[in-house]
Amino acid sequence: MDWRDQKVLVTGADGFVGGWLAKTLADKGAQVVVLVRDEKKYSALDLHDLREKVITIKGDVADYHLIKRILNEHSISFCFHLAAQAIVGIANRSPLSTFETNIKGTWTLLEAIREVNNPHFQGIIVASTDKAYGVHEQLPYTEESELKGLYPYDASKVCADVLARCYAVAYNMPVAVTRKANVYGGGDLNLSRIVPDAIRCLVQGQELLIRSDGTPERDYLYIKDAVAGYIILAENMNKPEVRGQAFNFSSGKPVSVLQLVNVIAKTYGVDIQPKILGQAKNEIDRQFLANGKAKAVLGWAPQYSLDDGMKETVEWYKEHFKKY
């Protein structure tokens, strides 16, 4: 698909994954419109030098009239909906604000697209998460696994996930859903997440800390593989086997928190044993995804191993922390 001159809306483009996605689309020649709620001193828009390459609109994704105006005035043909309150700890402390953004923001966007009814509109990709699956005895999760997420963040993404597929079925809208593993890579400025925080500690000579007991397992997907998944999914939205469907994007290889931190330390070139705090709450012990559907239907597969992705990630943060 030729992205040149496609008019694309990216919500959440000032965040980690959204910033990489907006950069990739702009590099491909798309006319990118980004919706930003809070004006940050430094965000992914600055990180990727996007200020002069995209149209930035300040506002809330839950503002129905604003969304309709953006869709109409910019003749949006594709939408990537990544705007979310994505920090589990904040969701636990402030569920209402999380629900407002993650649930209301999703139905607002979907309903605005339905109401505008642009004949040239080609699709909306809604970002869900592996956490929507909740706790299952049988792993890995497949797209047919029940969505059982019950903690505030998890539940909010279950609702957004179901709403997206509801609009695909009830209104024949070109909608698809991504359920991603934990995404890591250079450009994640949220230092509460384990990868950037661990690298920051190493750069600054601080003690490596693990909030959990070190045993929880996740799969970790490199940012470039995650963005490739979004692009490939959008490029296949015209296929009946894609519309209304959810797709797992993952490495398919579970790694414990302790193993992950050890990979980070090894990649950095040090031999350090982290301090295990055992303080994490409301988090699922084991989560990892099957990615066979994305491989079979979309032809997508991760191109980076954990070692290769972490090598690029560590180098990025070394330069970033040195500079800032």
Side-chain angles (χ1 to χ4, degrees):
M1 175 178 171
D2 190 352
W3 284 95
R4 284 175 295 183
D5 299 325
Q6 288 283 355
K7 297 176 180 178
V8 181
L9 171 63
V10 180
T11 71
D14 56 339
F16 171 39
V17 180
W20 271 97
L21 178 59
K23 175 188 182 303
T24 303
L25 289 165
D27 288 346
K28 288 179 176 291
Q31 297 180 22
V32 181
V33 178
V34 303
L35 178 64
V36 176
R37 185 180 67 176
D38 298 327
E39 190 63 41
K40 301 170 185 173
K41 289 183 178 179
Y42 188 73
S43 75
L45 299 180
D46 304 293
L47 195 66
H48 299 295
D49 295 320
L50 288 172
R51 295 285 183 184
E52 304 301 320
K53 299 176 183 177
V54 302
I55 298 170
T56 303
I57 297 172
K58 188 175 180 180
D60 195 324
V61 70
D63 184 338
Y64 176 71
H65 298 290
L66 173 63
I67 299 299
K68 281 192 73 174
R69 181 182 73 77
I70 294 171
L71 294 171
N72 275 315
E73 293 185 4
H74 295 278
S75 301
I76 299 298
S77 58
F78 267 104
C79 178
F80 294 87
H81 177 43
L82 285 80
Q85 193 303 98
I87 306 303
V88 172
I90 293 174
N92 291 336
R93 294 195 306 270
S94 181
L96 184 58
S97 64
T98 299
F99 297 158
E100 284 277 344
T101 298
N102 297 4
I103 306 174
K104 184 179 179 181
T106 300
W107 87 52
T108 298
L109 186 55
L110 290 164
E111 179 61 12
I113 291 170
R114 186 183 75 86
E115 281 288 313
V116 170
N117 195 26
N118 176 0
H120 302 293
F121 187 78
Q122 297 182 55
I124 172 173
I125 311 297
V126 176
S128 184
T129 172
D130 57 353
K131 292 179 175 57
Y133 287 113
V135 179
H136 285 259
E137 290 185 7
Q138 185 174 349
L139 294 171
Y141 306 132
T142 70
E143 288 82 355
E144 286 69 44
S145 300
E146 182 182 356
L147 301 184
K148 299 167 64 176
L150 293 176
Y151 295 120
Y153 172 70
D154 309 1
S156 75
K157 299 305 279 188
V158 170
C159 293
D161 192 313
V162 173
L163 282 169
R165 290 178 291 117
C166 162
Y167 271 76
V169 172
Y171 303 109
N172 195 33
M173 278 176 49
V175 183
V177 174
T178 64
R179 297 175 187 157
K180 302 185 303 300
N182 288 22
V183 180
Y184 73 95
D188 186 356
L189 300 180
N190 190 326
L191 298 184
S192 69
R193 294 194 180 106
I194 186 168
V195 173
D197 184 49
I199 300 172
R200 177 189 62 80
C201 290
L202 292 171
V203 170
Q204 297 178 353
Q206 298 178 2
E207 188 175 26
L208 280 176
L209 302 176
I210 294 178
R211 291 185 301 110
S212 68
D213 63 3
T215 62
E217 291 183 343
R218 303 285 188 269
D219 57 28
Y220 294 89
L221 183 66
Y222 187 49
I223 181 62
K224 291 180 182 179
D225 283 328
V227 170
Y230 276 104
I231 299 294
I232 291 171
L233 182 54
E235 292 175 345
N236 283 273
M237 281 296 294
N238 61 326
K239 296 180 179 178
E241 63 269 31
V242 171
R243 285 193 175 201
Q245 294 295 307
F247 291 88
N248 291 341
F249 291 103
S250 72
S251 68
K253 298 176 181 178
V255 176
S256 74
V257 173
L258 182 57
Q259 287 173 323
L260 177 70
V261 173
N262 286 336
V263 168
I264 294 170
K266 179 182 176 183
T267 305
Y268 195 84
V270 296
D271 184 11
I272 297 176
Q273 293 300 313
K275 181 178 181 180
I276 296 176
L277 302 177
Q279 297 174 346
K281 296 179 180 179
N282 291 353
E283 293 193 18
I284 297 166
D285 285 336
R286 299 182 73 232
Q287 287 186 306
F288 58 99
L289 301 166
N291 56 21
K293 183 177 178 180
K295 289 180 177 178
V297 177
L298 304 174
W300 173 92
Q303 302 300 303
Y304 284 80
S305 67
L306 181 60
D307 288 339
D308 291 339
M310 198 59 69
K311 183 180 294 185
E312 289 192 8
T313 302
V314 167
E315 288 304 313
W316 188 94
Y317 281 106
K318 279 183 177 179
E319 290 300 314
H320 178 78
F321 286 128
K322 184 187 300 181
K323 186 176 181 181
Y324 292 101

